[in-house]
Amino acid sequence: QKEVEQNSGPLSVPEGAIASLNCTYSDRGSQSFFWYRQYSGKSPELIMSIYSNGDKEDGRFTAQLNKASQYVSLLIRDSQPSDSATYLCAAPGTAGNKLTFGGGTRVLVKP
Amino acid sequence: DVKVTQSSRYLVKRTGEKVFLECVQDMDHENMFWYRQDPGLGLRLIYFSYDVKMKEKGDIPEGYSVSREKKERFSLILESASTNQTSMYLCASSPGGGGPSNSPLHFGNGTRLTVT
């Protein structure tokens, strides 16, 4: 089992809809979780950090963390074509000394 | 804003050459990282450092070495470049509080290395 898992997609959503991305992790002791956006040919860009159970909202983005079920999700409201990118989830690996990235979910927002 | 600068955006080297990839950050971050990213394989950690002159192996250190003589600079060295090291190389840094696994990474723009 991979330490951090994401559905590779592509997740196709119409413009204006909500895109829902999920990420599961294996280390129960993980405390910090991050979502990155990566446009094709560019480097990952941090968009959300979440450390506590529940929801955290930042503009059109909402991160949701459920430690009991070991998943973290990202919602993108009012999706725009500019949101088309690969979204990477990151969490501490089982070794505890570094972040581990999921394989990423590719999102396509269609006008 | 944190700035992580990688010395080259594109690099072409020949098999067997010694290759240096340089990375500099300007935010006094303790932790620095080198990843490579390949289609279908995602981001893979090569080496990281949590202090000057300290280094830790990541998931795929074979064929690579690193140097961190100053806090702001972290160099990745390919001792003898091979074609399977053709990849996108990403440098990142993070603040020290909470350790390397609990702080968000800030990435540089990447170096696309081609070994022929």
Side-chain angles (χ1 to χ4, degrees):
Chain A
Q1 182 190 0
K2 291 183 180 178
E3 295 186 350
V4 180
E5 292 205 65
Q6 299 179 252
N7 189 320
S8 62
L11 176 66
S12 185
V13 296
E15 185 174 357
I18 295 175
S20 178
L21 292 75
N22 293 317
C23 170
T24 58
Y25 60 94
S26 59
D27 183 16
R28 279 197 173 275
S30 294
Q31 298 292 322
S32 309
F33 306 87
F34 307 98
W35 282 100
Y36 289 82
R37 177 177 62 199
Q38 187 175 24
Y39 293 115
S40 180
K42 303 292 187 183
S43 59
E45 170 194 13
L46 180 70
I47 54 173
M48 291 287 283
S49 305
I50 187 165
Y51 304 95
S52 305
N53 271 333
D55 295 1
K56 180 182 178 184
E57 188 174 315
D58 184 359
R60 294 186 297 110
F61 297 102
T62 299
Q64 299 174 318
L65 175 59
N66 184 323
K67 290 186 178 180
S69 300
Q70 294 177 244
Y71 79 79
V72 56
S73 60
L74 180 71
L75 300 178
I76 308 173
R77 289 185 303 281
D78 188 25
S79 295
Q80 301 297 309
S82 59
D83 295 325
S84 297
T86 296
Y87 290 80
L88 302 168
C89 171
T94 50
N97 63 349
K98 58 182 174 66
L99 280 178
T100 298
F101 285 82
T105 298
R106 188 170 166 227
V107 173
L108 297 174
V109 181
K110 298 188 175 181
Chain B
D1 266 357
V2 177
K3 189 161 186 184
V4 180
T5 303
Q6 295 183 231
S7 54
S8 304
R9 187 75 178 95
Y10 298 95
L11 212 52
V12 180
K13 296 292 182 180
R14 292 197 179 274
T15 301
E17 278 193 78
K18 191 168 186 176
V19 181
F20 294 86
L21 302 183
E22 307 286 347
C23 176
V24 177
Q25 51 94 4
D26 66 359
M27 283 301 290
D28 202 36
H29 283 173
E30 279 75 13
N31 307 313
M32 296 190 74
F33 307 79
W34 275 106
Y35 288 86
R36 64 178 283 180
Q37 188 173 34
D38 302 285
L41 296 176
L43 276 166
R44 293 182 291 169
L45 182 63
I46 305 171
Y47 267 98
F48 65 102
S49 167
Y50 51 86
D51 201 353
V52 176
K53 296 193 186 292
M54 304 300 289
K55 60 184 180 183
E56 292 269 353
K57 292 181 179 179
D59 299 315
I60 52 162
E62 297 79 17
Y64 303 94
S65 62
V66 291
S67 172
R68 193 162 181 206
E69 295 296 318
K70 293 185 178 181
K71 190 175 186 179
E72 67 271 18
R73 186 179 297 271
F74 193 35
S75 303
L76 180 70
I77 303 153
L78 286 66
E79 298 290 344
S80 177
S82 64
T83 54
N84 63 13
Q85 293 178 310
T86 291
S87 185
M88 170 70 89
Y89 288 88
L90 291 162
C91 175
S93 72
S94 71
S101 61
N102 289 304
S103 302
L105 302 184
H106 301 266
F107 286 89
N109 287 335
T111 296
R112 186 164 293 282
L113 173 67
T114 301
V115 182
T116 61

